[in-house]
Amino acid sequence: MTRPEYRIRALSLWNGAISIEPLKGGLSNESFLVSDANGRHVVRFGKDFPFHHVFRDRELMAARAAAEAGFAPRIEFAEPGVMVSAFIGAKTYGAEDVRANRLRIARLMRDFHTVMPAHVSGAGFMFWVFHVNRDYARTLVEGKSRMVDQLPGFLALNDALEAAQLPLPIVFGHNDLLPANFLDDGEKLWLIDFEYAGFNTAMFDLAGAASNAEMTSDESEELLAEYFGQKPDSDLLRSHAAMQCASLLREAMWSMVSELHLSAPGADYVAYTAENLARLEAALETYQSTYGKILP
């Protein structure tokens, strides 16, 4: 019996005998599907990752708030290092599903951003991707990352992308809208994984959902139009395109930091870094062919 399985069996919430099945896909956490006499449950293990600005007490608060507000599965149990939520018999999205359901996702994001501030509690956490990228650079220097020589270029790009942003109202964002964090039960869309949830502008979620699903320019424009209730103007489109690049830069730097500090089963962080740098390069090419050079 593995250590996680032993700990799962020792939890106090089960009714009768249980079965345990690993869930695949996480890049930084281990999750398991557990069945007992009361049904099916998702057990998620995780510890604090200060290098990623991830603190599990804040994640638990956000997950509970999202469940209370109707956006996420019910939290059934929690203790340090482990969280158990109700299992939803729903489809986990891939990139093509996000693209196909972009209008539903725009409405979900708008509702989440609007409703969640009334449910979250405790000290407010701000997720500002440009600060995150700068702090990642410090962590990479301290850890003597293999990417240190490229950091000045990344930081100059980060500053230029920040300067391209439009001022928007502060909302409560999910801030990690990978396709797999959307679940569809056939009637309703759900969100999971709230490690990075916090106050932000809407643009990061809008850009993250678009870039992570590799939306076309037309699909991204439809996403924005549905979210804002009107056709986006050129300034909004430029801001969104720049934030998509920032989102991809952050994902690449997240992976660089993970190369130094994480070891999740099946995760290849070096390959994930290369994948996101290639996607960033493509996004920058698209941005600059439309709006001109981002750097002097």
Side-chain angles (χ1 to χ4, degrees):
M1 185 185 302
T2 66
R3 184 175 179 181
E5 289 173 333
Y6 181 85
R7 187 171 182 190
I8 288 170
R9 292 187 182 279
L11 297 178
S12 62
L13 75 158
W14 312 125
N15 182 1
I18 66 171
S19 64
I20 303 172
E21 178 184 343
L23 292 173
K24 298 179 180 179
L27 286 171
S28 58
N29 303 288
E30 286 187 280
S31 295
F32 297 82
L33 177 62
V34 178
S35 299
D36 70 354
N38 291 334
R40 293 191 287 178
H41 322 263
V42 175
V43 179
R44 176 179 168 91
F45 290 104
K47 57 185 179 180
D48 290 351
F49 297 145
F51 47 86
H52 278 322
H53 305 180
V54 169
F55 298 94
R56 300 302 171 178
D57 57 347
R58 193 181 68 234
E59 178 190 11
L60 177 60
M61 178 280 296
R64 282 176 166 156
E68 179 183 279
F71 297 107
R74 180 180 72 259
I75 302 301
E76 299 177 323
F77 178 87
E79 64 181 30
V82 63
M83 181 170 63
V84 182
S85 59
F87 175 79
I88 295 175
K91 177 180 180 177
T92 300
Y93 270 4
E96 66 282 359
D97 301 303
V98 173
R99 294 194 299 270
N101 291 275
R102 57 191 175 277
L103 301 186
R104 292 177 69 199
I105 284 172
R107 294 190 290 270
L108 173 67
M109 282 191 283
R110 186 177 60 213
D111 290 345
F112 184 85
H113 293 162
T114 303
V115 172
M116 280 294 289
H119 295 270
V120 298
S121 58
F125 169 69
M126 183 77 183
F127 183 98
W128 185 240
V129 66
F130 307 103
H131 163 71
V132 172
N133 289 342
R134 284 187 282 265
D135 201 50
Y136 275 162
R138 284 186 280 269
T139 300
L140 292 167
V141 169
E142 291 167 1
K144 297 180 173 55
S145 165
R146 65 187 180 88
M147 306 297 289
V148 164
D149 290 348
Q150 296 190 44
L151 292 179
F154 292 152
L155 289 172
L157 174 61
N158 187 65
D159 289 347
L161 295 169
E162 184 175 31
Q165 291 307 300
L166 285 180
L168 291 173
I170 298 299
V171 299
F172 191 85
H174 181 281
N175 301 321
D176 193 23
L177 290 181
L178 298 166
N181 287 338
F182 293 101
L183 303 180
D184 189 344
D185 67 7
E187 296 182 0
K188 176 178 176 176
L189 289 179
W190 300 81
L191 289 168
I192 58 172
D193 292 1
F194 297 92
E195 290 177 312
Y196 300 99
F199 291 96
N200 200 347
T201 73
M203 193 58 79
F204 188 74
D205 273 349
L206 290 163
S211 65
N212 291 327
E214 300 183 69
M215 289 187 191
T216 65
S217 296
D218 287 345
E219 290 168 342
S220 292
E221 186 169 341
E222 291 173 2
L223 179 81
L224 292 173
E226 186 69 17
Y227 182 93
F228 288 106
Q230 60 186 20
K231 183 178 175 64
D233 62 20
S234 59
D235 288 340
L236 190 66
L237 290 172
R238 178 174 177 266
S239 177
H240 183 251
M243 189 67 93
Q244 287 189 66
C245 295
S247 173
L248 289 166
L249 177 60
R250 179 260 174 194
E251 198 70 15
M253 296 185 76
W254 178 94
S255 189
M256 295 170 205
V257 169
S258 297
E259 289 179 33
L260 299 176
H261 293 288
L262 291 181
S263 179
D268 185 341
Y269 298 114
V270 172
Y272 193 62
T273 297
E275 175 189 336
N276 281 285
L277 287 176
R279 293 179 60 207
L280 172 60
E281 184 178 353
L284 278 171
E285 184 176 341
T286 298
Y287 178 94
Q288 293 183 131
S289 68
T290 306
Y291 302 106
K293 285 188 177 182
I294 188 72
L295 290 171

